[in-house]
Amino acid sequence: MRIAQVSPLWESVPPKLYGGTERVVSFITDELVRLGHHVTLFASGDSVSDAYLEAICPQALRLIPGSFNREAPMTLLLERAFSASDEFDVIHSHLDFLGFPVARRCPTPVLTTLHGRLDLPELEPVYREFSEIPLVSISDAQRQPLPWANWQATVHHGLPRDLYTFHPQQGQYLAFLGRIAPEKCPDQAIAIATRAGIPLRIAAKVDPADRDYFRERIEPLLDHPLIEYLGEITDAEKNDFLGGACALLAPFDWPEPFGLVFIEALACGTPVLAYRRGSVPEIIDDGITGYICERMSELTAATKQVSLLNRRRCREVFEARFTVDRMVQDYLNVYEQIVSDHSTAALRSLMRSVTNQGLTAPAIC
Amino acid sequence: MRIAQVSPLWESVPPKLYGGTERVVSFITDELVRLGHHVTLFASGDSVSDAYLEAICPQALRLIPGSFNREAPMTLLLERAFSASDEFDVIHSHLDFLGFPVARRCPTPVLTTLHGRLDLPELEPVYREFSEIPLVSISDAQRQPLPWANWQATVHHGLPRDLYTFHPQQGQYLAFLGRIAPEKCPDQAIAIATRAGIPLRIAAKVDPADRDYFRERIEPLLDHPLIEYLGEITDAEKNDFLGGACALLAPFDWPEPFGLVFIEALACGTPVLAYRRGSVPEIIDDGITGYICERMSELTAATKQVSLLNRRRCREVFEARFTVDRMVQDYLNVYEQIVSDHSTAALRSLMRSVTNQGLTAPAIC
């Protein structure tokens, strides 16, 4: 198939550091190329891909310092990606609702994967307005606020099989990986680890918006012999960081739409300790690949039982359900479905138009 | 005519406090209604207008505290304003380039007034991409970075004739009105006033982005007997503030695309002291309605000559060139021009289509 992948411009594809959406776009794109599809990637010019790169701007927008009108390259992206109507069989947008006005006016079928949380009240009117647009959710839980949307499938994220390696040896510390932000509850992770008496290593970036939270609420807690704060780490460092842990401690208190970090841990053979929120019950099998808890006391207790879980089983679940080849096969099925639906609709419209022309043609002939 | 006015959602129409674009949209809209046109205003729900209000969101986006996805109502605005294709003879967009992708796909003619500065390098690619879109500049100077764009006219802003009243009496202080921001040079205004020994009153808001600048660079200068800082003032307070001044001191060091404050001062009969930047030479007649200077020493000297200028002449220039009826007549001329161009293009396209159908129709009949 001839496929356009439309990435946000915030990070490069793949991102240099943190950036879930652009990492997933990178995995999908390179796997589609490997399978022999003709793929064009619309992204920032510092992206690296096996596909043909349509560079919209020289650099990822997050990296540009000072005042810069970020809406200018985004507007250019919308035009370029959705105007090349004859070149693609399907356009796969990762821009959430931003692409909807042009997608609705685009003669090529457009599929949109929603990467963010949908439970914000200001989002409902825009999804209502565009309720016919075909969507993919990244977990069933993500759909909950918009059950009436035109959902085509849930496609769980996947990782390249060999990006992370199986670590059979049980580690001696808990790992926290993510952003330092209130909804990720690093303070709870610290409280759980210190109560359980197990070392906790924290690898996390601090966004400018969260700097006050870090300084006031988290930094004072880091001065404890069991707690080690590493800052932001690279993809290469994640393998040892996650693989060396006895468990991923992820007491996130928000409906995480997917949570790449869960399957990164499983790929290393590391079980996951998390609250029953958002996608967690779809990814973690309670008592097999981790423990799903309701309260902090349960999570604390679970840290002591995690050594009973089979690390090889975690890796097997990753290989069976969360690899990039499974993800891309799921997407190809959806592409074929919407291309077929689109052809049927186009044929119906053509038939109507021919019938109408048959009636009016004599006046013209 | 049936006319859509499409306002940004950042402020209500008119804005509660600061907000040049939404004020101008308000003036245009109400004057068009007064002239008997059928006007629909797309804006935030807290707007107040004589036109039919299409409320996109309940509240102006600037007033919403905390995290809120502002792109959601903006996307809704694009869809609603540009999809109602049969309802309007012309759509007048004040969204700068944000409306271009939908405007290009809209069967109704769309006119866009550019309200911002255009000399930022990141803007050029997006205006190049959409170079056929009909544009209005708010000063000739504003066009300078994009001389090749599809400019239809320059339409200087205008104010309701009686919004500000003529103050014949020469005031005893200089007035500074605007944002506290480096490009507005409040520090120069303070230096000029203290060197000249003339009191300076500063009415200005401080945006969150400029708070450090205010605290570090401006606040220490305010502790001088000649300087009085009033904070942000309302439209009603502006009349006395500007009218009571001997001159508006506006040492702005950036290419102001228009500068409503210049004509607000003239409406009160107050002359303007400014640098030769952006729109200034188009609005101020040097030696008649103010002094246009090159250097700070010249501006300082000019504060002493400003009493020689005729305040009534300032008001007369305002009435002749900067009222809302002149502005709206200019816009109506452009509306008629683009509607006519659009009909011609549509007719040509129809002729081509009829010719083509004539050739292919036998195969269908």
Side-chain angles (χ1 to χ4, degrees):
Chain A
M1 294 177 97
R2 299 169 310 158
I3 303 163
Q5 292 290 330
V6 188
S7 174
L9 305 173
W10 192 245
E11 297 280 356
S12 61
V13 176
K16 306 279 178 282
L17 292 167
Y18 201 88
T21 301
E22 291 85 351
R23 285 183 73 210
V24 172
V25 173
S26 172
F27 297 151
I28 296 172
T29 301
D30 288 352
E31 177 68 7
L32 285 169
V33 172
R34 205 188 60 79
L35 292 173
H37 296 282
H38 295 272
V39 188
T40 300
L41 172 64
F42 292 86
S44 66
D46 49 354
S47 298
V48 178
S49 169
D50 297 334
Y52 174 72
L53 177 64
E54 272 277 6
I56 299 298
C57 50
Q59 209 184 358
L61 302 184
R62 165 149 98 109
L63 302 176
I64 299 171
S67 79
F68 181 91
N69 192 326
R70 288 172 174 78
E71 290 169 329
M74 279 305 295
T75 301
L76 209 53
L77 172 64
L78 293 175
E79 182 61 31
R80 297 266 168 88
F82 294 90
S83 68
S85 56
D86 286 345
E87 291 174 36
F88 306 117
D89 300 310
V90 65
I91 298 170
H92 188 174
S93 166
H94 301 272
L95 307 181
D96 293 333
F97 60 77
L98 282 182
F100 287 179
V102 275
R104 177 176 270 180
R105 291 157 174 79
C106 179
T108 305
V110 177
L111 181 69
T112 301
T113 294
L114 300 183
H115 286 266
R117 63 192 294 182
L118 302 176
D119 60 331
L120 309 170
E122 67 265 29
L123 300 184
E124 208 243 337
V126 72
Y127 286 106
R128 279 268 180 220
E129 169 66 45
F130 295 94
S131 58
E132 89 287 3
I133 300 250
L135 301 176
V136 161
S137 48
I138 58 175
S139 66
D140 291 339
Q142 185 198 25
R143 297 183 182 189
Q144 186 266 319
L146 315 173
W148 38 259
N150 186 14
W151 299 109
Q152 301 292 307
T154 286
V155 179
H156 286 147
H157 289 333
L159 304 172
R161 194 170 292 260
D162 301 323
L163 186 63
Y164 300 97
T165 53
F166 177 53
H167 290 59
Q169 198 69 37
Q170 163 104 7
Q172 300 305 312
Y173 62 89
L174 297 162
F176 178 96
L177 181 63
R179 282 179 295 112
I180 296 286
E183 70 270 20
K184 299 276 186 177
C185 305
D187 52 340
Q188 285 199 39
I190 292 168
I192 289 165
T194 52
R195 278 180 212 175
I198 304 175
L200 172 70
R201 295 193 189 161
I202 300 173
K205 75 159 179 171
V206 184
D207 278 339
D210 295 314
R211 262 184 217 143
D212 284 350
Y213 171 75
F214 177 69
R215 217 159 11 207
E216 287 162 25
R217 305 284 305 278
I218 303 305
E219 218 169 25
L221 307 176
L222 299 179
D223 187 26
H224 186 287
L226 286 174
I227 309 299
E228 188 181 353
Y229 176 68
L230 308 172
E232 192 167 0
I233 62 173
T234 65
D235 234 37
E237 292 166 322
K238 273 194 208 169
N239 189 37
D240 284 342
F241 175 72
L242 290 171
C246 60
L248 175 75
L249 180 55
F252 306 158
D253 194 18
W254 74 301
E256 188 88 54
F258 184 80
L260 273 177
V261 67
F262 300 145
I263 63 172
E264 290 169 341
L266 297 185
C268 297
T270 301
V272 177
L273 305 176
Y275 286 127
R276 188 178 297 281
R277 299 270 189 290
S279 63
V280 168
E282 294 172 53
I283 302 176
I284 305 304
D285 301 315
D286 190 25
I288 298 169
T289 57
Y291 292 107
I292 304 178
C293 301
E294 305 290 346
R295 280 182 301 281
M296 205 168 121
S297 56
E298 282 179 46
L299 265 187
T300 311
T303 58
K304 312 234 169 122
Q305 296 164 19
V306 85
S307 59
L308 304 174
L309 299 177
N310 183 336
R311 294 182 65 94
R312 179 159 298 278
R313 189 84 186 88
C314 293
R315 172 73 194 183
E316 283 166 3
V317 166
F318 163 74
E319 289 184 5
R321 292 167 47 199
F322 298 114
T323 59
V324 77
D325 30 313
R326 191 275 310 148
M327 169 172 68
V328 165
Q329 194 49 59
D330 285 356
Y331 274 121
L332 283 167
N333 293 342
V334 186
Y335 296 166
E336 275 160 26
Q337 183 58 46
I338 70 161
V339 169
S340 154
D341 291 352
H342 196 263
S343 307
T344 310
L347 194 62
R348 278 210 194 98
S349 156
L350 183 67
M351 294 290 280
R352 268 198 303 276
S353 147
V354 166
T355 313
N356 291 345
Q357 284 198 6
L359 290 169
T360 59
I364 295 170
C365 292
Chain B
M1 291 178 99
R2 300 169 309 157
I3 303 164
Q5 292 290 331
V6 189
S7 174
L9 305 173
W10 193 244
E11 298 280 356
S12 61
V13 176
K16 306 280 176 284
L17 292 167
Y18 200 88
T21 300
E22 291 85 352
R23 285 183 73 209
V24 172
V25 174
S26 172
F27 298 151
I28 296 172
T29 301
D30 288 351
E31 176 68 9
L32 285 170
V33 172
R34 206 187 60 79
L35 293 173
H37 296 281
H38 296 273
V39 188
T40 301
L41 171 64
F42 292 86
S44 65
D46 50 353
S47 298
V48 178
S49 169
D50 298 334
Y52 174 72
L53 177 64
E54 272 277 5
I56 299 298
C57 50
Q59 208 185 1
L61 302 185
R62 166 150 97 110
L63 302 176
I64 299 171
S67 80
F68 181 91
N69 192 326
R70 289 172 172 77
E71 289 169 328
M74 279 304 296
T75 301
L76 209 53
L77 171 65
L78 292 175
E79 182 62 30
R80 297 267 168 86
F82 295 90
S83 68
S85 55
D86 286 345
E87 291 174 37
F88 306 116
D89 300 310
V90 65
I91 298 170
H92 188 174
S93 166
H94 300 271
L95 307 181
D96 292 334
F97 59 77
L98 282 182
F100 286 179
V102 274
R104 178 176 270 180
R105 290 158 174 80
C106 180
T108 305
V110 177
L111 181 69
T112 301
T113 294
L114 299 184
H115 287 266
R117 63 192 292 183
L118 303 176
D119 61 331
L120 309 169
E122 66 266 31
L123 301 183
E124 208 243 338
V126 72
Y127 286 106
R128 279 265 180 220
E129 169 66 45
F130 295 95
S131 58
E132 89 286 3
I133 301 250
L135 300 176
V136 160
S137 47
I138 58 174
S139 67
D140 292 338
Q142 185 197 26
R143 298 184 182 188
Q144 186 264 321
L146 315 173
W148 37 259
N150 186 13
W151 299 109
Q152 302 292 307
T154 286
V155 180
H156 286 148
H157 289 334
L159 303 173
R161 193 170 293 260
D162 301 321
L163 186 62
Y164 299 97
T165 53
F166 177 53
H167 290 60
Q169 198 68 35
Q170 163 104 6
Q172 300 305 312
Y173 62 90
L174 297 162
F176 178 96
L177 181 63
R179 283 179 295 112
I180 296 285
E183 69 270 19
K184 300 276 186 176
C185 304
D187 51 339
Q188 284 199 41
I190 292 168
I192 289 165
T194 52
R195 276 181 214 174
I198 303 176
L200 172 70
R201 295 193 190 162
I202 300 173
K205 75 159 180 172
V206 183
D207 278 338
D210 294 314
R211 260 180 219 147
D212 285 351
Y213 171 75
F214 177 70
R215 214 157 16 205
E216 287 162 23
R217 304 286 303 280
I218 303 305
E219 218 169 25
L221 307 175
L222 299 179
D223 187 25
H224 185 288
L226 287 173
I227 309 299
E228 188 180 354
Y229 176 68
L230 308 173
E232 192 167 1
I233 62 174
T234 65
D235 233 38
E237 293 166 321
K238 272 194 209 171
N239 190 36
D240 284 341
F241 176 72
L242 289 171
C246 60
L248 175 75
L249 180 54
F252 306 157
D253 193 19
W254 74 301
E256 188 88 55
F258 183 81
L260 273 177
V261 67
F262 300 144
I263 62 172
E264 290 169 343
L266 296 185
C268 298
T270 301
V272 177
L273 305 175
Y275 288 127
R276 187 178 298 282
R277 299 270 189 289
S279 64
V280 168
E282 293 172 53
I283 302 176
I284 304 305
D285 301 315
D286 191 25
I288 298 169
T289 56
Y291 291 108
I292 304 177
C293 302
E294 305 289 346
R295 280 181 302 279
M296 205 168 121
S297 56
E298 281 180 47
L299 266 187
T300 310
T303 59
K304 313 240 168 116
Q305 295 166 19
V306 86
S307 59
L308 304 174
L309 299 178
N310 183 336
R311 293 182 66 93
R312 180 159 298 281
R313 188 84 187 88
C314 293
R315 173 73 195 183
E316 283 166 3
V317 166
F318 163 75
E319 289 184 5
R321 291 167 46 198
F322 298 114
T323 59
V324 77
D325 31 310
R326 190 275 310 149
M327 168 170 69
V328 165
Q329 194 48 60
D330 285 356
Y331 274 121
L332 283 167
N333 293 342
V334 185
Y335 296 166
E336 276 161 25
Q337 182 58 44
I338 71 161
V339 169
S340 153
D341 291 352
H342 196 263
S343 307
T344 311
L347 195 63
R348 279 212 193 98
S349 158
L350 184 67
M351 295 290 279
R352 267 197 304 276
S353 147
V354 167
T355 313
N356 291 344
Q357 284 198 4
L359 289 169
T360 59
I364 294 171
C365 294

